[in-house]
Amino acid sequence: MTIPRGSAQSPKYQRLAADLRRRIAAGEFTADDPLPVEGDLERQYGVARNTVRLAVDVLVNEGRLVRLQGKGTYLREHPVLDHRAYGPTLLPGQRDCLAAPTDIYAREAAEAGRELTSDFEMLIVRARVDIAERLGLRPGEAIVVRRQLRMLDREPYSIEESHYRAGLAAGTPLMEPDQVEGGDEAVLAALGRTEVGAVDHMVARMPGPEEAQWFQGGPGVPLVVQTRVTYDRRGPVRVIETRYSADRCRLVYGVGDLAGRTSLPAPATPVDTARAEPRLSEPRPADGARAEVS
């Protein structure tokens, strides 16, 4: 399937931004060295200085580049962590990520050689309409929210909020202002509410002001929001809403019989959309010939 280009040609600065994305994806630039200065890009592509500035602005807003005062413009590297959102158990006795989500995050970070930390808080709030509907409550009823702000190598990674009926949480460790040993899953199991299934709802949206301030992403970087409704044999147990910065997390789902594998399949390297966009001429080669932008 081909994406229609439309009758109008993209503005020159957008085509320049597309070619810079292509060069970034091809590994032409590294995080240790600054990108060519605006004057160099101006000469390479045969465009005005303002066109270069607008193109770089686009990539800064996308979270791909960062301007450092007095140093130049650099790649903004966010190592992407694959999070196993769900998959069948692969080995005898192995717990899946529905039964032990906290264990999954800790193991994934350790395997990637990264440091996982989190801040925790417990809140009593009024249920949003969508949360109330999924828990079988009336909008505005009091619910208990257990929130974790996860950091990877001191960089914001995710905001996870577990929503519980007040009646389920009352008088249990779920009302404690600290994390529970063994995770919330252990408390639910002790209450006879072991989660046995879940439905995930996935959306992408732009962050609100408070979210943007916490994630510290570029103005054009969206959030991936995973809303998981868990169930036991009696009905819904909790609603877990997790927000990820789209440039730092990749959700992995295993589907079907994976008995022939010892690990979930690794996701393919994301395709840079710049490769499908109208391309500029290649930048100036070593002999000094200048690339032209039509």
Side-chain angles (χ1 to χ4, degrees):
M1 183 177 69
T2 302
I3 300 175
R5 292 177 54 181
S7 57
Q9 190 177 47
S10 300
K12 190 173 292 186
Y13 78 89
Q14 290 186 359
R15 288 182 283 126
L16 174 53
D19 201 65
L20 291 174
R21 287 193 206 99
R22 178 189 62 81
R23 296 173 68 184
I24 291 171
E28 187 171 336
F29 307 120
T30 67
D32 296 329
D33 299 312
L35 265 68
V37 298
E38 290 179 355
D40 288 343
L41 291 174
E42 179 184 354
R43 288 187 291 274
Q44 285 180 14
Y45 286 101
V47 298
R49 180 70 58 91
N50 192 55
T51 299
V52 171
R53 188 169 294 124
L54 289 173
V56 173
D57 284 344
V58 169
L59 301 186
V60 169
N61 289 339
E62 291 177 354
R64 297 174 188 262
L65 301 177
V66 60
R67 289 188 175 99
L68 300 179
Q69 186 68 31
K71 296 184 177 180
T73 302
Y74 289 79
L75 294 184
R76 184 170 185 172
E77 286 200 325
H78 293 292
V80 175
L81 183 70
D82 288 340
H83 171 53
R84 183 186 167 199
Y86 183 71
T89 56
L90 303 171
L91 300 172
Q94 182 181 15
R95 302 174 69 193
D96 67 21
C97 57
L98 176 63
T102 302
D103 293 349
I104 292 293
Y105 281 108
R107 186 169 73 240
E108 288 169 345
E111 289 175 351
R114 305 185 64 184
E115 180 185 10
L116 176 70
T117 57
S118 63
D119 292 327
F120 181 86
E121 59 184 331
M122 187 276 294
L123 308 166
I124 298 177
V125 302
R126 299 292 179 185
R128 298 189 327 235
V129 172
D130 59 322
I131 298 296
E133 179 180 348
R134 287 165 175 153
L135 286 177
L137 302 173
R138 293 188 301 273
E141 283 195 53
I143 59 172
V144 172
V145 176
R146 295 175 62 79
R147 176 185 294 162
Q148 289 194 66
L149 305 177
R150 291 192 177 95
M151 309 275 288
L152 279 173
D153 300 330
R154 300 184 180 180
E155 182 178 56
Y157 175 69
S158 70
I159 302 173
E160 178 182 292
E161 295 178 339
S162 292
H163 305 76
Y164 297 92
R165 296 185 189 89
L168 175 62
T172 76
L174 297 176
M175 298 295 294
E176 296 294 329
D178 300 305
Q179 290 180 286
V180 178
E181 184 176 355
D184 290 6
E185 304 77 34
V187 178
L188 293 171
L191 294 173
R193 302 301 304 268
T194 300
E195 297 155 302
V196 297
V199 175
D200 279 6
H201 305 258
M202 303 286 294
V203 299
R205 63 169 174 80
M206 298 308 297
E210 292 184 357
E211 293 168 328
Q213 182 178 14
W214 190 77
F215 278 106
Q216 301 172 18
V221 178
L223 300 181
V224 175
V225 183
Q226 176 199 40
T227 303
R228 171 169 291 180
V229 186
T230 69
Y231 297 86
D232 64 3
R233 304 299 180 188
R234 296 157 57 184
V237 177
R238 59 173 165 167
V239 177
I240 309 170
E241 182 179 84
T242 310
R243 288 159 276 173
Y244 306 91
S245 186
D247 60 347
R248 301 169 205 176
C249 178
R250 189 162 45 196
L251 299 181
V252 182
Y253 284 80
V255 179
D257 185 354
L258 299 177
R261 301 188 67 94
T262 58
S263 63
L264 288 181
T269 301
V271 175
D272 195 300
T273 55
R275 297 179 184 273
E277 296 182 26
R279 286 176 53 182
L280 294 160
S281 301
E282 293 293 330
R284 184 176 62 182
D287 62 7
R290 189 177 69 179
E292 297 292 338
V293 178
S294 58

